[in-house]
Amino acid sequence: MPLTVTEMAASLGKNLLQTAKKRILQQRRASLYTGAQGYHEELIKKKLQQFAGGSINLSKEDSGIGILSLNNLKLMNAFTGTMMLELQERVTELENWKDGKGLIIYGAGNTFCSGSDLNAVKAISNSQDGMNMCMFMQNTLTRLMRLPLISVALVQGKAVGGGAELTTACDFRLMTPGSEIRFVHKHMGLVPGWGGAARLVRLVGSRAALRLLSGAMGVDPERALRLGLSEETLSSSDETRALEEARAWLSQYTEGPASVIRAVKMVVTAGRELPVEDALRTEKDIFGTVWGGPANLQALVRRPKHK
């Protein structure tokens, strides 16, 4: 039986939305670097695999909030090679989590992360391997930043070096009393290589970023609030209670249907990263995925008049 004009229009609209969703997903997962730029992902993965230890664990709650934990207590949750690989795997898992709305990242044992495992750093100290590790982690943290989830770094204890860079890949940072974020790269004869400098400039401005990077000074919760690097100082340093506080704080922004929360995050990401014309087109495409959707129709039924 031939389709009616209305059915044809609905089918066309559905196809256009599916195409838009697919394009948005591809943009989010796109790699910053390719072989043409000297990036050899499989080679650096094999090297990183040699430096084992620790783990990156992910739990997904029914509320739509994911909990990502860094576990390498003997090295203050420093990233081993296998932890870098596991982080990429967890990000891929989160990209495929259709019901996800929020994400909390924290370090086990009341400390966030002390950066890279120096054993791995020393073993891949030649320039090409270092550049490939840099590109690998930039790719992973950029994908983390672009997740359609509202993300929070829960900073307890120290977030140092690469750990400080990881906090900047989240949308927000919450700090506990006595915690510290510190970009110590200068003391290692380095600059940030996981994208932390570029993201820090966007968070606090170029002048404050220059002071933090060139001074390699610790940022306590009070200063972080003044700089706009942190949203709030939590009341407890206890791991369990701090996690409960972070979950409650994040819940105020993840309340509602996953489709809407994810769309909000995606339009903000587009506005932050794309030229204005491209951001507007992307916003239009994302708007099309929720207009006339279940949440929109239910809202119209609940609120037929403006008050």
Side-chain angles (χ1 to χ4, degrees):
M1 198 173 174
L3 295 174
T4 66
V5 173
T6 302
E7 289 171 334
M8 289 176 65
S11 177
L12 177 61
K14 185 177 181 181
N15 289 337
L16 288 173
L17 291 182
Q18 291 300 324
T19 301
K21 285 182 177 180
K22 186 176 181 180
R23 181 165 58 79
I24 293 164
L25 184 63
Q26 288 172 340
Q27 289 172 342
R28 200 166 67 228
R29 296 182 179 180
S31 176
L32 295 172
Y33 301 105
T34 65
Q37 294 157 312
Y39 179 48
H40 303 287
E41 182 168 299
E42 292 310 312
L43 289 178
I44 194 61
K45 278 185 171 183
K46 288 179 180 177
K47 287 187 180 290
L48 293 174
Q49 192 68 51
Q50 299 171 24
F51 306 100
S55 63
I56 306 288
N57 299 332
L58 174 64
S59 62
K60 293 178 283 190
E61 301 179 345
D62 292 340
S63 63
I65 292 178
I67 310 293
L68 188 79
S69 62
L70 285 62
N71 298 273
N72 189 10
L73 294 179
K74 66 179 181 180
L75 295 176
M76 292 179 61
N77 297 326
F79 272 92
T80 62
T82 53
M83 286 174 69
M84 294 181 192
L85 298 177
E86 285 185 21
L87 180 63
Q88 185 192 59
E89 293 169 0
R90 300 292 87 79
V91 169
T92 299
E93 187 176 347
L94 288 165
E95 287 172 336
N96 294 319
W97 186 27
K98 303 303 182 186
D99 298 323
K101 297 188 285 185
L103 177 68
I104 298 171
I105 300 178
Y106 80 103
N110 288 310
T111 194
F112 189 75
C113 174
S114 60
S116 302
D117 176 6
L118 293 182
N119 292 321
V121 171
K122 291 174 184 176
I124 56 175
S125 59
N126 70 75
S127 180
Q128 188 56 52
D129 285 343
M131 288 283 282
N132 270 293
M133 183 186 70
C134 165
M135 290 186 277
F136 179 84
M137 289 300 289
Q138 280 192 13
N139 275 339
T140 299
L141 293 184
T142 300
R143 287 170 59 191
L144 171 65
M145 182 176 66
R146 289 174 175 168
L147 286 170
L149 309 172
I150 299 175
S151 58
V152 174
L154 170 56
V155 181
Q156 300 168 272
K158 306 287 186 182
V160 180
E165 293 192 65
L166 175 58
T167 70
T168 67
C170 294
D171 299 311
F172 303 110
R173 283 140 298 280
L174 300 173
M175 299 181 71
T176 61
S179 62
E180 178 184 79
I181 299 173
R182 190 175 188 185
F183 295 85
V184 297
H185 304 75
K186 184 184 81 168
H187 294 323
M188 300 296 295
L190 295 169
V191 296
W194 295 357
R199 293 188 296 268
L200 184 64
V201 169
R202 284 162 174 74
L203 288 170
V204 302
S206 60
R207 291 174 61 197
L210 185 58
R211 291 200 302 270
L212 295 183
L213 295 177
S214 62
M217 58 191 71
V219 181
D220 62 18
E222 183 179 352
R223 188 177 186 196
L225 284 171
R226 290 200 308 269
L227 289 172
L229 186 58
S230 171
E231 299 297 314
E232 191 172 306
T233 304
L234 303 181
S235 63
S236 178
S237 296
D238 175 75
E239 183 175 309
T240 301
R241 276 194 258 170
L243 194 55
E244 289 174 356
E245 284 189 66
R247 190 184 283 108
W249 185 91
L250 180 56
S251 293
Q252 65 186 315
Y253 301 108
T254 58
E255 181 181 353
S259 59
V260 177
I261 304 304
R262 292 163 70 88
V264 168
K265 172 63 185 289
M266 286 190 285
V267 294
V268 170
T269 299
R272 178 186 64 214
E273 297 188 13
L274 300 176
V276 66
E277 293 86 356
D278 293 335
L280 289 169
R281 293 187 189 101
T282 301
E283 183 175 316
K284 175 263 298 178
D285 290 341
I286 295 168
F287 175 82
T289 68
V290 291
W291 175 265
N296 179 223
L297 295 177
Q298 289 170 14
L300 291 173
V301 171
R302 289 195 308 271
R303 300 188 180 100
K305 295 181 181 179
H306 294 290
K307 295 180 180 181

